[in-house]
Each structure stands twice: as C-alpha cells, then as structure tokens.
C-alpha cells in the first residue's frame, strides 16, 4: 500500500499484480498534488516486487519532473536496485492485435523488427562465446552435473530420431541419384555423391535441424518458464550471471553432443546408401572401396566442425529467446516458436556461408 501525506510515498510489504494498482494510483496522486516539490519514496519496508511492482518503481524513478522536484528513493534494498537496473518496460507492453501497415510502411516496420532481432542475436552469441572462453579458462566453475543432465536429455535421448533421419536421408539420396546415373552407366559414382554429401553437408545439417526442433525449442521453453516464474530475478538477486548459470551448461552440452550425433547420422546415412546400392549391383565391398577414394578424414572433420558451430548457435538462439520471454504463459509459446524458426534460418545461412568459404579456400 502507499501513503500520500507530506510529499512522501511509503511503499511497504509486497508489490504484486494484486496490490500494485492501488499503490500506483496513490503514488501518481501524490506526484500530481506536489508538482513543484521534491517527493520522497520510503522503501525501507518494501519486501518484494514482481514485474508490476518494478514497473511502479521504474515509473517513479523516471517520472519527468522539474528541477528541484525530483523523486528520491530511500531504503530501497540492493536486490531490488539490481532488478530495477535490469528492468525493461517494453516487457509490460499490452498485447494487442497487430496494426496493419500497408505498402512500404509495413515492409519497413518488418525489416526494422527483423534487423533488431538479428542484432540482438549477434550480441547474445558474442556473450555466449565469451562465457565459453571463461569456462575453458576456469573449468572448475562449470556446473558439470547440469552439463551432463542437458547432454543426456538433448543428446543421448535424441539418438533414435537422429539415426532414423540419417538412415532415411542416405536411402533417399542413393535411390534418387542411382535412377538417374543408371541411364548413363555411372551407378558406381553415386557412392561418391552419397559419401561426400553425407559427411560434408547433409549429416551435420539434418542433425542440427533435428536438434533445433527438439532441443532448441526445449531450451527456450525452459528459460521462458523460468522468466515468467521470476526465477531469473531470483538468480540475479543472488548475484549470479544468468548466462554463466543457465546458458553456459546448455552451450557446452550442445557443442559436444551435436558433432557426436552428426557422426551417428553420417554412419546411418552411409549404411542406408550402401543397402540401396546393393539393388544396383554394387556390393558392400565395392561401396567401401569407392567411398575410400571419394572422401578422407578432412571431409569428416569439416562436417564435425560445422556441427559444433550449428550446436552452439542453436543453443544460443534458444536460450536468447527464452531469456527474452515476455509476461504470461502465451509468451512462452511465442518464444519457443521464434527459437525454432530463428535457429533453422541461422543453420541454413551458416551452411551457405560455409559452402562459399570452403569453395574459396579449396578445402
């Protein structure tokens, strides 16, 4: 509740969605009644503030007042000061049906939104890379139990679906290309195409897309739920960095597990291709010998490096969307959807960039 006597506002107890409205009206009435006088906000007895309470504190601190009539806080706890410093008023913007823009206005607004999200993703990926650097320098600071738990859920439990996708991928590529190559008597060279495409491109690419839909969405949903439940505020209050505490274990697990999953996808893809080639009179020994001449360890290492980069990006984008979740349960679903879409776009864009770079460097 709020007291509005003598140009002072007393905030006490818990400021939640149920109590902040009354306190807000009383506080604004005090400010309006003393437009040219300094107003003191007594927060010595304030115990707790959720996002609506933080919005009131933000509004009081940033209220436009003439010189000499500023709002001064007294007794605000260090934890609430830390939360107030990180408070983003845009999170409480009312969710309304999107206004329809026509022509260039709508295109410009969409481009501005997309570029803003792209820039935020770049900055967040930079923070994640820095966090991984700290983990490499100080491995004892890493929450290895959390890393193992995430690796089990995101990696070990994904083995069946990754193996299935890899096997079907090899079967489809081998069968479709063999039908064309058979017309020219060049079925044996289908082995080259299957091996190169699987190890360098499709193995890491399909694994990353499956990982984005399965684990990237889970990361966004988990962190988004923690954001809605104000667990992130509690972590910040304890003086912990959410990126090191929550994001770092997911990054490490993803960077390690996606290449391992890609190896399984590569193996199953080659097995699927070899089984199809038997129907075109290419036995397993011929398949193996032809494959040895078509690919080497460099092709495998290139695919594994791409898989590690894809894993880091998927984890970073999923965590970023989770940490940016707005208020309400519906916001978690929106963040999850955005995480999957953004991750797949990033994967495809990076794969194209890798293809151009590899071609230029003759790798």
């Amino acid at each position: 509740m709020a007291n509005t006597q003598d140009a002072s506002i007393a905030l006490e107890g818990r400021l939640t969605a149920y109590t902040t409205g009354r306190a807000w009206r009383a506080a604004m009435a005090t400010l309006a009644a003393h437009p040219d006088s300094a107003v003191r906000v007594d927060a010595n007895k304030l115990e707790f503030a959720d996002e609506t309470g933080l919005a009131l504190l933000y509004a009081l601190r940033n209220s436009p007042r003439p010189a000499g009539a500023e709002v001064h806080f007294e007794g605000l706890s260090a934890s609430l000061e830390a939360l107030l410093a990180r408070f983003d008023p845009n999170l409480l913007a009312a969710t309304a049906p999107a206004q329809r823009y026509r022509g260039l206005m709508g295109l410009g607004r969409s481009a501005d939104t997309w570029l803003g999200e792209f820039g935020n993703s770049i900055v967040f990926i930079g923070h994640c890379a820095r966090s991984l650097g700290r983990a490499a320098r100080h491995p004892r600071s890493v929450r290895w139990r959390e890393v193992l738990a995430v690796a089990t859920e995101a990696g070990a439990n994904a083995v069946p679906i990754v193996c299935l996708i890899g096997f079907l991928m090899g079967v489809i590529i081998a069968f479709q290309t063999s039908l064309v190559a058979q017309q020219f008597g060049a079925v044996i060279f289908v082995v080259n195409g299957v091996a190169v495409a699987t190890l360098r491109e499709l193995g890491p690419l399909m694994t990353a897309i499956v990982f984005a839909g399965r684990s990237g969405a889970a990361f966004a949903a988990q962190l988004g739920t923690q954001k809605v439940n104000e667990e992130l505020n509690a972590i910040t209050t304890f003086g912990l960095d959410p990126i090191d505490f929550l994001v770092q274990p997911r990054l490490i697990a993803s960077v390690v597990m996606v290449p391992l999953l890609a190896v399984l996808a590569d193996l199953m893809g080659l097995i699927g291709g070899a089984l199809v080639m038997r129907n075109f009179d290419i036995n397993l020994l011929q398949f193996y010998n032809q494959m040895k001449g078509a690919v080497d360890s460099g092709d495998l290492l290139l695919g594994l490096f791409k898989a590690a980069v894809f894993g880091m990006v998927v984890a970073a984008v999923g965590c970023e969307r989770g940490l940016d979740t707005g208020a309400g349960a519906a916001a978690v679903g929106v963040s999850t959807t955005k995480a999957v879409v953004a991750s797949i776009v990033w994967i495809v864009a990076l794969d194209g960039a890798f293809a151009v770079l590899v071609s230029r460097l003759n790798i």
Side-chain angles (χ1 to χ4, degrees):
M1 59 181 296
N3 187 358
T4 62
Q5 297 178 356
D6 302 328
S8 66
I9 302 172
L11 299 175
E12 58 186 33
R14 299 171 62 87
L15 286 177
T16 66
Y18 302 100
T19 61
T20 301
R22 183 171 65 254
W24 198 309
R25 288 190 295 270
M28 293 301 110
T30 300
L31 295 182
H34 302 86
D36 300 317
S37 303
V39 177
R40 181 176 62 89
V41 178
D42 183 4
N44 284 287
K45 297 182 180 180
L46 183 59
E47 301 172 357
F48 173 82
D50 64 5
E51 288 186 340
T52 55
L54 290 174
L56 171 57
L57 298 178
Y58 182 89
L60 290 173
R61 174 163 288 180
N62 295 276
S63 177
R65 305 274 292 177
E70 295 86 358
V71 176
H72 303 282
F73 279 79
E74 295 181 2
L76 189 63
S77 66
S79 59
L80 288 177
E81 280 282 6
L83 293 177
L84 185 58
R86 298 170 61 92
F87 178 72
D88 183 3
N90 295 324
L91 295 178
L92 296 177
T95 304
Q99 182 180 359
R100 294 190 177 183
Y101 295 84
R102 295 181 180 178
L104 293 178
M105 289 181 63
L107 180 62
R109 187 176 182 86
S110 299
D112 180 69
T113 301
W114 185 85
L115 289 175
E117 293 181 352
F118 178 77
N120 292 337
S121 297
I122 291 290
V123 172
F124 190 81
I125 290 175
H127 289 316
C128 292
R130 187 174 61 183
S131 179
L132 289 177
R134 287 196 295 267
R137 293 192 303 271
H138 308 287
R140 292 186 177 181
S141 65
V142 178
R143 301 169 60 218
W144 291 110
R145 289 187 179 180
E146 180 70 13
V147 173
L148 182 60
V150 175
T152 301
E153 173 58 31
N157 293 346
V159 168
I161 183 64
V162 169
C163 289
L164 176 63
I165 295 295
F167 179 80
L168 295 177
M169 175 184 65
V171 168
I172 293 171
I173 295 174
F175 186 74
Q176 294 296 332
T177 53
S178 295
L179 292 178
V180 177
Q182 192 177 36
Q183 302 175 18
F184 303 95
V187 176
I188 188 64
F189 294 107
V190 172
V191 178
N192 300 48
V194 171
V196 173
T198 300
L199 295 182
R200 294 172 67 101
E201 290 291 336
L202 294 179
L205 181 65
M206 296 305 298
T207 301
I209 291 176
V210 172
F211 189 81
R214 188 182 181 279
S215 300
F219 294 163
Q222 290 166 359
L223 297 189
T225 303
Q226 290 180 306
K227 178 72 176 292
V228 171
N229 292 338
E230 300 180 7
E231 295 177 29
L232 295 183
N233 290 344
I235 291 173
T236 304
T237 302
F238 285 127
L240 300 173
D241 185 353
I243 292 182
D244 288 341
F245 191 77
L246 296 174
V247 179
Q248 187 186 85
R250 290 169 171 81
L251 285 172
I252 296 174
S254 300
V255 170
V256 173
M257 294 308 300
V258 174
L260 295 178
L261 291 173
V263 171
L264 291 176
D266 292 343
L267 179 61
M268 296 304 297
L270 294 176
I271 292 175
L275 293 178
V276 170
M277 296 306 296
R278 294 186 63 182
N279 295 325
F280 293 90
D281 298 325
I282 305 294
N283 60 40
L284 296 180
L285 183 59
Q286 289 176 302
F287 185 94
Y288 175 73
N289 291 330
Q290 185 70 17
M291 182 184 68
K292 281 201 308 181
V295 296
D296 54 24
S297 60
D299 297 301
L300 176 62
L301 292 177
L302 174 62
L304 296 182
F305 176 75
K306 291 168 63 174
V309 174
F310 293 159
M312 188 187 77
V313 170
V314 168
V317 171
C319 292
E320 185 223 352
R321 292 295 187 261
L323 293 176
D324 286 343
T325 301
V332 177
V334 173
S335 297
T336 303
T337 302
K338 287 184 176 180
V340 176
V341 174
S343 296
I344 293 176
V345 171
W346 270 100
I347 290 169
V348 175
L350 286 173
D351 191 61
F354 272 119
V356 174
L357 185 62
V358 168
S359 176
R360 293 289 185 181
L361 297 179
N362 240 355
I363 299 178

